[in-house]
Amino acid sequence: MDRWQAEPLPLWDESFFDNAPATAPVRPPVATAPAPAPASPAPHASGWTARVGVFDLETTGVDVTTDRIVTAHVGVLDADGTVIESRSWMADPGVDIPAGATAVHGITTERARAEGRPAAEVTAEIVAALRGLFAAGIPVVAYNAPYDFSLLKHEALRHGVEPIAAPAPVIDPLVLDKAHDRYRKGKRTLEVVAAHYAVTLTGAHDAAADAIAAGRVAQALAARFALTQPLEELHTQQIGWARTQAESLTEYFVRIGRIDPADPVDGSWPIR
């Protein structure tokens, strides 16, 4: 999930450097799993890109400790970026969905209450689906992974579900893009990065559309930058890259007076 407001700052991406809010026109999503046409399949690459899991949440807000799941998607792509497994959920979060969140993902409180399933059931099923992928050795792609995995962890604890404490292996296209194309100007939202790598994203801020596009971006990054190292190595490298990126962002925020040096950006990855 991309941020839909500037504060608080539990996570980060390049939209922090822009004055314009990183929001998108409302495109009401559906609760079932749409399968966006693979109009822009990822270039072929070897190794882990042959089969990748994809994961995304749309939520009530940006605070991973208190906000709730509204919609979610877990799926699997093959080497061409074609969807071969797909499951989507809509939850009744049990709280009102703020207008700002609805403006991003299109789900109102009324719709979630009418069409959503109990949040505890949805959370348990999402956790089980992800555990299944990890157990099979399939990497899970999540754009800005600490947001989705951290919020899922707190949601699981809230509902008495055993959380995924250390998700692995995870592929985060945001971290990879910033590490391998460090000096490119502009935002690093999923929409912008997908366009940069010629990946079609239809229906941004729909959990399925975002998850599938992120998976194809990961495959495109692997092909562009020859990311064929073993998954364990790539996962560990991302931990270091995310930490370095957070340190750089902290220096920038301190320089412009946005944060206090004693309150640095958290660079923990892939979960906080």
Side-chain angles (χ1 to χ4, degrees):
M1 174 182 175
D2 287 331
R3 297 175 163 283
W4 53 267
Q5 62 185 37
E7 299 293 345
L9 297 173
L11 301 164
W12 54 272
D13 64 27
E14 288 296 325
S15 63
F16 283 127
F17 294 101
D18 300 278
N19 293 322
T23 58
V26 175
R27 297 180 176 88
V30 296
T32 56
S40 52
H44 282 285
S46 61
W48 58 265
T49 59
R51 181 163 294 194
V52 297
V54 296
F55 169 47
D56 186 72
L57 300 176
E58 296 298 327
T59 65
T60 60
V62 297
D63 189 326
V64 298
T65 62
T66 61
D67 281 304
R68 312 293 179 89
I69 295 170
V70 178
T71 60
H73 182 82
V74 175
V76 178
L77 309 183
D78 68 10
D80 293 316
T82 300
V83 178
I84 57 175
E85 295 181 27
S86 178
R87 186 169 183 188
S88 289
W89 295 263
M90 182 186 293
D92 175 359
V95 299
D96 289 343
I97 300 173
T102 296
V104 173
H105 53 59
I107 306 297
T108 62
T109 300
E110 293 72 24
R111 183 181 173 191
R113 287 174 179 167
E115 302 177 22
R117 294 173 51 219
E121 293 180 10
V122 168
T123 301
E125 291 176 7
I126 297 168
V127 169
L130 291 170
R131 285 192 192 281
L133 293 178
F134 289 134
I138 297 174
V140 174
V141 175
Y143 199 88
N144 198 10
Y147 179 85
D148 298 275
F149 282 109
S150 298
L151 193 144
L152 180 63
K153 176 187 74 173
H154 288 284
E155 190 81 295
L157 292 170
R158 185 176 297 118
H159 296 296
V161 176
E162 183 179 357
I164 301 174
V170 173
I171 303 296
D172 190 337
L174 177 60
V175 171
L176 294 180
D177 182 52
K178 290 170 68 72
H180 289 85
D181 198 355
R182 179 178 178 184
Y183 298 107
R184 189 176 78 247
K185 301 292 186 181
K187 296 179 180 180
R188 304 274 179 146
T189 62
L190 177 57
E191 288 177 274
V192 171
V193 174
H196 179 73
Y197 291 101
V199 170
T200 299
L201 173 54
T202 301
H205 303 292
D206 168 85
D210 284 0
I212 293 165
R216 291 172 179 164
V217 169
Q219 292 173 317
L221 280 158
R224 176 80 61 89
F225 298 108
L227 304 179
T228 58
Q229 59 265 62
L231 276 171
E232 296 79 5
E233 179 181 338
L234 183 58
H235 183 95
T236 300
Q237 287 175 324
Q238 289 173 97
I239 293 172
W241 291 332
R243 181 172 58 249
T244 299
Q245 291 161 13
E247 290 170 353
S248 177
L249 189 61
T250 295
E251 292 174 1
Y252 173 77
F253 280 165
V254 169
R255 188 165 66 249
I256 67 174
R258 183 161 185 171
I259 64 173
D260 187 275
D263 187 27
V265 175
D266 189 347
S268 303
W269 185 93
I271 194 168
R272 297 173 183 160

